[in-house]
């Protein structure tokens, strides 16, 4: 009997450890300025940006990321959600609002692309768009972005991309 309790306890502890390890880590919310700094540093290394180009890119990215953060719909705190509605209804947003947000996001991305294109040389811009397309193609199938807005110069990826 005592051995059975030990075996059951051991399995319970192991099962608990597996469940805890299987949980994805919570991602920190990165400040828009910090995110822009990271991306600017990466672009500087990959594209050999001058100091002036890096400063301009950092400003463009900071403005864009700040605006994205402001436009992102805020989730209510756990206590603020009405629990009498199913979870799907509590978290869903109106489809027209979603379409509107999508259009705003696509316009912003297109504008940012044009601004970055104005800062980079033709060779740097071509390399940057190539790198973005390659990065997008490495994402798992469920995480791939929608096609780029018209006018954005992003090379097509492999077939079955979307």
């Amino acid at each position: 009997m005592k051995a059975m309790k030990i075996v059951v306890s051991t399995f319970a502890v192991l099962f608990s450890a597996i469940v805890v390890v299987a949980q994805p880590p919570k991602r920190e919310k990165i400040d828009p300025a910090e995110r822009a700094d990271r991306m600017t540093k990466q672009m500087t290394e990959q594209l050999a940006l001058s100091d002036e180009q890096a400063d301009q890119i950092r400003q463009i990215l900071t403005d864009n990321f700040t605006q994205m953060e402001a436009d992102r719909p805020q989730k209510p705190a756990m206590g603020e959600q009405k629990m009498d509605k199913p979870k799907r209804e509590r978290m869903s947003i109106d489809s027209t609002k979603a379409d509107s947000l999508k259009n705003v996001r696509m316009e912003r991305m297109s504008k940012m692309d044009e601004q970055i294109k104005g800062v980079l040389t033709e060779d740097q811009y071509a390399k940057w768009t190539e790198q973005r397309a390659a990065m997008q193609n490495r994402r798992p199938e469920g995480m791939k972005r929608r096609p780029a807005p018209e006018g954005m110069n992003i090379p097509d990826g492999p077939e079955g991309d979307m």
Side-chain angles (χ1 to χ4, degrees), residues 85-152:
K85 292 184 181 179
K87 184 175 182 180
R88 180 168 284 168
E89 287 181 32
R90 289 192 310 257
M91 298 188 70
S92 68
I93 60 173
D94 183 10
S95 64
T96 55
K97 186 175 181 180
D99 289 342
S100 173
L101 290 173
K102 177 183 169 186
N103 290 338
V104 167
R105 189 176 311 120
M106 296 306 258
E107 287 174 18
R108 184 178 312 108
M109 291 298 293
S110 193
K111 180 182 172 189
M112 182 185 78
D113 186 67
E114 285 300 315
Q115 290 174 327
I116 289 175
K117 186 176 184 178
V119 172
L120 301 179
T121 65
E122 287 184 32
D123 291 338
Q124 288 171 326
Y125 183 74
K127 187 174 180 181
W128 181 63
T129 55
E130 186 179 303
Q131 289 171 345
R132 281 194 331 185
M135 184 180 283
Q136 186 172 346
N137 291 334
R138 284 190 304 218
R139 291 182 178 171
E141 190 61 37
M143 293 185 67
K144 290 189 178 179
R145 290 188 171 182
R146 295 176 191 94
E150 290 198 25
M152 284 185 76

Side-chain angles (χ1 to χ4, degrees), residues 13-161:
V13 169
L14 288 174
F15 181 74
S16 299
I18 290 171
V19 170
V20 168
V21 171
Q23 296 294 322
K26 291 220 177 212
R27 292 179 16 173
E28 291 181 26
K29 199 169 192 175
I30 300 174
D31 178 58
E34 183 181 345
R35 185 173 169 199
D37 286 342
R38 287 182 186 179
M39 194 166 169
T40 302
K41 181 180 177 186
Q42 182 181 20
M43 288 177 72
T44 300
E45 292 170 1
Q46 294 173 344
L47 304 175
L49 299 180
S50 68
D51 290 342
E52 183 180 336
Q53 284 178 313
D55 289 340
Q56 291 174 342
I57 294 290
R58 182 177 293 110
Q59 186 61 48
I60 291 167
L61 294 174
T62 301
D63 293 345
N64 187 55
F65 294 151
T66 302
Q67 188 62 44
M68 280 174 44
E69 188 72 25
D71 289 348
R72 184 171 288 142
Q74 300 298 319
K75 294 180 183 176
M78 286 301 290
E80 295 176 14
Q81 292 182 354
K82 293 186 178 184
M83 295 306 203
D84 56 343
K85 292 184 181 179
K87 184 175 182 180
R88 180 168 284 168
E89 287 181 32
R90 289 192 310 257
M91 298 188 70
S92 68
I93 60 173
D94 183 10
S95 64
T96 55
K97 186 175 181 180
D99 289 342
S100 173
L101 290 173
K102 177 183 169 186
N103 290 338
V104 167
R105 189 176 311 120
M106 296 306 258
E107 287 174 18
R108 184 178 312 108
M109 291 298 293
S110 193
K111 180 182 172 189
M112 182 185 78
D113 186 67
E114 285 300 315
Q115 290 174 327
I116 289 175
K117 186 176 184 178
V119 172
L120 301 179
T121 65
E122 287 184 32
D123 291 338
Q124 288 171 326
Y125 183 74
K127 187 174 180 181
W128 181 63
T129 55
E130 186 179 303
Q131 289 171 345
R132 281 194 331 185
M135 184 180 283
Q136 186 172 346
N137 291 334
R138 284 190 304 218
R139 291 182 178 171
E141 190 61 37
M143 293 185 67
K144 290 189 178 179
R145 290 188 171 182
R146 295 176 191 94
E150 290 198 25
M152 284 185 76
N153 185 16
I154 299 177
D156 292 334
E159 288 186 350
D161 194 21

Side-chain angles (χ1 to χ4, degrees), residues 2-14:
K2 193 171 190 174
M4 184 66 144
K5 286 182 180 179
I6 292 173
V7 170
V8 170
S9 299
T10 302
F11 279 120
V13 169
L14 288 174

